[in-house]
Amino acid sequence: MKREILISRKKGEDGHKIVSVRMRDETLARLDDLSAQTNRSRNELINLLLEEALQNVTVIDED
């Protein structure tokens, strides 16, 4: 008996992309501490902190 394979259609983009980041052990430890204190995931904290940093960054020319 032939068995049918069902595959659902892929849903559209959700506006998010997956990225890989290398970071120092100390930074990761601080992130994990903050995660425990705030009951938020690493992912959520990284997005919150990065968004805040991007809103407050100033680029300067080096002489």
Side-chain angles (χ1 to χ4, degrees):
M1 175 184 274
K2 188 175 179 180
R3 197 168 146 193
E4 185 176 10
I5 298 172
L6 301 175
I7 299 175
S8 64
R9 288 194 173 96
K10 185 176 179 180
K11 294 185 179 182
E13 282 289 322
D14 66 355
H16 293 84
K17 300 288 184 222
I18 297 172
V19 297
S20 176
V21 178
R22 290 173 45 124
M23 66 178 67
R24 293 192 165 128
D25 290 337
E26 297 82 15
T27 303
L28 185 57
R30 290 177 63 193
L31 187 61
D32 286 342
D33 287 344
L34 187 58
S35 178
Q37 292 173 25
T38 61
N39 197 30
R40 294 179 182 262
S41 69
R42 281 182 186 166
N43 181 69
E44 187 175 5
L45 287 173
I46 289 169
N47 277 288
L48 288 169
L49 295 168
L50 187 54
E51 186 61 36
E52 185 67 25
L54 288 171
Q55 290 178 21
N56 293 294
V57 67
T58 302
V59 178
I60 60 172
D61 291 326
E62 289 187 33
D63 293 330

